[in-house]
Amino acid sequence: MSYNLSYFLSIILSNKYPHLLFKRNWEISQKSQFLLGQCQAYIQAISNTPILPDQYRELLNVALVKGAQATTAIEGNTLTKKINQGHHVAPSKEYQEIEVKNILDAFNQLLGEVVIDDRSDLITPEVVKRFHLMVGKNLGKHLDAIPGKFRQDPRIVGTYSCPDYDDVPELVNQLCDWLLKEFHYPKGQDFHETVIQAI
């Protein structure tokens, strides 16, 4: 897509969705900057502390389970820890077991790519769809979406009408471009930018 067409689409979509501007609308207070500095110092100190391989694997597992619990809890699934420990669920909740295993697989994939392979891909629509495919694998009707694809139907969440499905690919593209520009990823990103980008 040429720059002029992309720019033209962004103007149209910003008029259509004035709440989705992909512009900085926050300030970091001095207190927050100080606290972020303390966090960075703690992380550096912990990162430089020698740790036995078994303890390292256990800490990675705890982080993985906590992340998966938070992710699956959004949809009301509270079974992450049990499933990670090898427990099976009743047939009526098998889809939740699949969901948790998919999330854990996706997190392990991300861990492998970023930590082990030291590869940090840009966040692109293709990366979003790749992880959506992993998370939605074998969920069938319980996902209410086509894994790895942007939605093709109108949605309402509570009282919020989601953007028109025809606009979703370009909005995701704008989001990914904004993340790259706003947070200087992957080159020159400060610690506080990393934290805010994650939020």
Side-chain angles (χ1 to χ4, degrees), residues 116-128:
I116 297 167
D117 297 340
D118 195 26
R119 200 176 93 219
S120 52
D121 294 339
L122 296 176
I123 299 172
T124 64
E126 290 71 31
V127 168
V128 171

Side-chain angles (χ1 to χ4, degrees), residues 158-172:
T159 59
Y160 175 73
S161 293
C162 298
D164 187 283
Y165 59 87
D166 287 331
D167 297 332
V168 169
E170 180 56 27
L171 287 169
V172 171

